[in-house]
Amino acid sequence: MPAKPKWARIADGIRAQIASGELAPGDKLPSTRELCAQHGVSVIVVRQAIDRLRAERYVEGVPGLGVFVADNPPKP
């Protein structure tokens, strides 16, 4: 079985933080630059993870402010 892509592992980690309550609705996610440094990946990989989470309605972006946990994220 092939390894999970890096963007999927990052998205899984953020989803787990939301599910555990470590990240609560309204909390701001670390910046793209911070996530790149934390995971040792490129901006493209982090953006793919955030795009997936946004499509799944776990997070929402606010232009000029950042990405925040959605008010009603899906239950795992």
Side-chain angles (χ1 to χ4, degrees):
M1 178 185 265
K4 210 174 221 189
K6 291 179 182 179
W7 67 264
R9 290 192 300 239
I10 294 168
D12 287 349
I14 294 171
R15 252 188 243 102
Q17 288 179 303
I18 293 169
S20 73
E22 187 177 338
L23 285 173
D27 283 354
K28 184 176 179 181
L29 269 58
S31 70
T32 299
R33 183 175 292 170
E34 290 169 330
L35 288 169
C36 288
Q38 285 174 11
H39 298 281
V41 297
S42 70
V43 170
I44 292 170
V45 173
V46 169
R47 286 191 183 149
Q48 284 178 303
I50 298 299
D51 286 348
R52 174 57 60 96
L53 292 169
R54 190 177 287 134
E56 294 172 354
R57 298 160 121 158
Y58 280 93
V59 300
E60 42 195 46
V62 178
L65 293 179
V67 178
F68 298 84
V69 177
D71 286 336
N72 293 307
K75 303 290 182 230

